[in-house]
Amino acid sequence: MEIDVNVFGVLDVIRATLPVFKRQGSGHFVNFSSFFGTWSMPPYSLYAASKFAVEGFSEAFAKEFESFGIKTTIVEPSVYATEFFGESMQHTEKKQEYAPLYEAYEKGMSNIKIGDPAKAVQLIISVIKSDNSPLRLTVGSQAAYTIREAYTKRLEEVNTWLERSAEAN
C-alpha cells in the first residue's frame, strides 16, 4: 500500500496537473517525502522505499519542469502528532526472530520529538510562497538532524571506498 499511495498517488497528481501548469507557464509541485526518504530502519523498509522514490523522481522532474516555469519542492518532515502512529501503523504479525529489532525500534521511537503539525504547515506554506523555495525543505529538527547524519555517513562511506571504486574505471 505504501508504494501505491506514496509513489503512484503522487505521480497521478503530477500527471493530472502538469498540462495545466504547462499551459499557464507556472505552478509548484509540493511533493511529500519524509526524513525516511534519506535513510531507513526496520520496520520501515517499504515506507522508506516509497519516500526514496519520491525523492528521486521529484529531483528529476524539478530539472525537467523548470523550463516551463514550474517549481518543485520535496517536503521532508519529521514525526508529527498525526494519525501516522495510529491506524496507519498496522504491521504484519511480529516474528520472534525480529524481537531485538522491534525493541530497538520502540526504544528509538520513544526518544523522537513529536512536532506540532500546525507549525509545520505554517512553515511549509511560508516557504512555498517565498521567491526562492528550495528543492528540499526539511521540516522539524528531528528531520534536519537525521538527514544531516545520514548524508554525513553516506559521504564518509563514499570517501572510504573511493580508491577501491576507482579500480573499476
Side-chain angles (χ1 to χ4, degrees), residues 117-139:
K119 289 181 181 178
V121 169
Q122 289 173 348
L123 172 70
I124 293 164
I125 291 171
S126 70
V127 171
I128 297 305
K129 286 184 173 182
S130 72
D131 291 334
N132 62 341
S133 56
L135 173 61
R136 286 183 172 80
L137 175 61
T138 302
V139 181

Side-chain angles (χ1 to χ4, degrees), residues 80 91 164:
Y80 287 88
H91 294 285
R164 288 296 311 271

Side-chain angles (χ1 to χ4, degrees), residues 1 10 13-14 17 26 30 61-62 75 85 95 107 148 169:
M1 182 151 120
V10 174
V13 170
I14 291 170
T17 55
S26 66
V30 181
F61 285 162
V75 178
F85 287 111
K95 298 182 187 289
K107 182 180 178 187
R148 183 174 60 192
N169 288 348

Side-chain angles (χ1 to χ4, degrees), residues 10 13 25-26 31 35 40 55 72 80 83-84 92 96 105 116 122 128 130 137 157 159 166-167:
V10 174
V13 170
S26 66
N31 297 339
F35 66 109
S40 189
E55 295 269 339
T72 302
Y80 287 88
E83 281 300 309
F84 183 82
T92 58
Q96 183 59 38
Y105 159 76
D116 178 352
Q122 289 173 348
I128 297 305
S130 72
L137 175 61
E157 188 171 40
N159 289 331
E167 292 173 15

Side-chain angles (χ1 to χ4, degrees), residues 38-144:
T38 62
W39 70 285
S40 189
M41 63 177 267
Y44 287 107
S45 57
L46 289 177
Y47 179 76
S50 73
K51 296 306 184 174
F52 269 84
V54 170
E55 295 269 339
F57 69 67
S58 296
E59 184 174 318
F61 285 162
K63 293 172 185 165
E64 179 183 344
F65 300 159
E66 186 177 40
S67 65
F68 298 102
I70 301 168
K71 296 179 181 180
T72 302
T73 298
I74 306 163
V75 178
E76 300 169 324
S78 292
V79 178
Y80 287 88
T82 66
E83 281 300 309
F84 183 82
F85 287 111
E87 292 289 321
S88 68
M89 286 294 292
Q90 298 301 321
H91 294 285
T92 58
E93 182 181 331
K94 291 183 178 180
K95 298 182 187 289
Q96 183 59 38
E97 64 262 30
Y98 291 108
L101 291 174
Y102 290 122
E103 289 171 20
Y105 159 76
E106 288 168 10
K107 182 180 178 187
M109 292 309 286
S110 68
N111 294 325
I112 286 184
K113 180 179 167 123
I114 306 296
D116 178 352
K119 289 181 181 178
V121 169
Q122 289 173 348
L123 172 70
I124 293 164
I125 291 171
S126 70
V127 171
I128 297 305
K129 286 184 173 182
S130 72
D131 291 334
N132 62 341
S133 56
L135 173 61
R136 286 183 172 80
L137 175 61
T138 302
V139 181
S141 59
Q142 181 73 42

